Amino acid sequence: MTATTSRSTRRRFAGTLGLLGAGGIGAALAPDGVRIERAPAADAAPDHGHAPGAAVDRQQTTTEPNADEMDALHEAGVMSFPAPTAGLGGQPLAFELDGDVKVFRLTCQVVQWEVTPGKWVEAWTYNGVTPGPEIRVTEGDKVRIHVFNELPQSTAVHWHGLVVPNNQDGVPFLTQPPVKPGGAWTYEFQIRDGNAGTHMYHSHHNAAFQVTKGMLGAFIVEPKDPASRPAFDREYTIVLNDGPLGAYSLNGKGFPATRPFAAKRGEKVLFRYMNEGLMIHPMHLHGMPMLVTAQDGYLLPQPYMCDTLNIAPGQRFEVIVEATEPGVWAFHCHILNHAESEHGMFGMVTALIVEE
Ligand SMILES: [Cu+2]
């Protein structure tokens, strides 16, 4: 490696761990001495901006660009990644203690959601974000969850993967009445021992509409004994969704507005996948294999290695990636028309950044 490329590499990865908050890989990837301007902000022209990297609809392939035009569109998308958008889902949900019960609040709301730069869609949400806020508890915890319905439809919340009393399972007319518009409902249960792992909560009423529009979230159960699960240095959750919310999304955003994942060389990174969409999505990480350690929360008797993992609707997988290879590694769904068109990458595409 020449001194020049070494310097370039150092610069390329400088600050990428901080990049999870803001910033841009586009700038980080720029050749030495070349400043790459970010495309105009999304709110400047929400519907008809055609600035590269901003409001180009990368999923539509209505034109047939020549090679240079095509390359320019592809480059602009990558250079704008991660493109800033309003709204961030999946952040930890605070609780209050009532005695030894952890009390959470979820409000079902319709909001406008910026799924890619400049593309605003109607999202149905918990607490105004999609994915909804992350609920994280520990085996044995007693939880109470107040649900307030501000939607124009009835709803109910199902605790997907959790073993709960039948009347807390959240299926209208089967285990409870629907929660009407303007109404509220309270769920209460204790997390059973043996139910640790990656789970979900989502609407179970008109669900093909409500869930794909955004009414979903991660429900993570920590084990009482951390040594009972594989060790890791940092963790990320990846919620897959498809359908009305801008077609194909990772954690509520489509590329280039997806957020990259970062790790330092040598770290073990836990990824928690969950599919809340209507289609299967084979997630593929370049550069390093994934060790699949758990499915639907349950530890596998024989963990296995792979580089592409099929994740069907409803399924969750926990995988450990050993971040041995520095670089910016593509990380995407391998049904290719969920990830790329003539206009560049879109949808279910992000990156794992491994820093030296
Ligand atoms: Cu896919």
Side-chain angles (χ1 to χ4, degrees):
M1 180 181 278
T2 68
T4 304
T5 56
S6 175
R7 218 170 26 243
S8 171
T9 302
R10 277 202 301 275
R11 190 154 125 185
R12 178 174 301 186
F13 299 115
T16 42
L17 288 170
L19 170 155
L20 288 182
I25 282 184
L29 292 179
D32 280 356
V34 176
R35 176 175 168 81
I36 300 214
E37 296 292 339
R38 184 176 298 287
D43 50 357
D47 293 322
H48 39 74
H50 283 58
V56 170
D57 191 340
R58 298 176 189 285
Q59 198 177 336
Q60 295 301 317
T61 55
T62 50
T63 61
E64 293 180 14
N66 68 31
D68 286 342
E69 291 167 348
M70 185 185 293
D71 293 352
L73 287 165
H74 282 241
E75 181 181 25
V78 172
M79 287 302 155
S80 69
F81 172 70
T85 48
L88 175 64
Q91 301 305 295
L93 182 58
F95 59 84
E96 293 169 6
L97 276 175
D98 178 12
D100 61 350
V101 180
K102 291 180 176 175
V103 182
F104 297 89
R105 289 168 170 264
L106 293 174
T107 301
C108 310
Q109 297 169 313
V110 179
V111 302
Q112 288 297 308
W113 185 253
E114 193 179 19
V115 67
T116 57
K119 184 175 179 185
W120 292 82
V121 297
E122 182 187 278
W124 289 42
T125 71
Y126 296 107
N127 296 3
V129 291
T130 184
E134 175 196 276
I135 297 175
R136 186 174 285 254
V137 296
T138 302
E139 281 175 308
D141 278 355
K142 295 173 184 167
V143 300
R144 183 182 304 142
I145 302 153
H146 298 298
V147 176
F148 304 92
N149 183 7
E150 296 180 359
L151 308 172
Q153 296 180 5
S154 297
T155 194
V157 184
H158 170 59
W159 316 101
H160 184 115
L162 297 173
V163 180
V164 299
N166 184 248
N167 64 3
Q168 302 302 306
D169 197 45
V171 182
F173 303 109
L174 193 62
T175 64
Q176 68 168 85
V179 185
K180 296 283 188 188
W185 194 263
T186 297
Y187 297 90
E188 187 154 355
F189 47 85
Q190 184 167 12
I191 308 295
R192 295 201 194 177
D193 290 345
N195 207 180
T198 302
H199 305 297
M200 314 190 279
Y201 64 94
H202 55 223
S203 165
H204 212 289
H205 191 65
N206 193 21
F209 176 87
Q210 291 187 4
V211 177
T212 60
K213 288 286 264 186
M215 297 189 70
L216 52 95
F219 197 122
I220 309 296
V221 179
E222 305 268 16
K224 269 182 183 161
D225 174 13
S228 66
R229 318 263 310 177
F232 58 90
D233 298 301
R234 64 177 74 223
E235 64 166 288
Y236 296 109
T237 294
I238 305 177
V239 181
L240 313 172
N241 199 5
D242 52 64
L245 189 70
Y248 302 108
S249 62
L250 301 175
N251 291 331
K253 302 286 178 173
F255 184 88
T258 47
R259 301 183 91 196
F261 306 108
K264 291 180 178 151
R265 186 178 194 174
E267 284 185 333
K268 288 182 172 163
V269 185
L270 166 63
F271 288 101
R272 302 175 183 273
Y273 293 108
M274 52 192 72
N275 188 345
E276 289 278 20
L278 305 175
M279 307 172 193
I280 199 163
H281 298 289
M283 287 301 293
H284 175 53
L285 172 63
H286 291 212
M288 288 149 283
M290 304 184 272
L291 176 66
V292 186
T293 59
Q295 179 175 344
D296 299 341
Y298 300 103
L299 291 172
L300 297 178
Q302 180 66 63
Y304 62 94
M305 300 283 268
C306 65
D307 61 38
T308 307
L309 182 62
N310 255 343
I311 304 156
Q315 285 189 315
R316 289 91 61 215
F317 286 95
E318 292 164 39
V319 308
I320 303 269
V321 173
E322 267 198 76
T324 55
E325 309 303 315
V328 180
W329 297 100
F331 195 177
H332 61 95
C333 174
H334 217 294
I335 294 179
L336 295 175
N337 60 357
H338 297 180
E340 195 168 37
S341 77
E342 292 102 310
H343 291 182
M345 295 193 288
F346 71 91
M348 299 177 133
V349 177
T350 184
L352 171 62
I353 302 165
V354 180
E355 285 192 326
E356 286 281 10

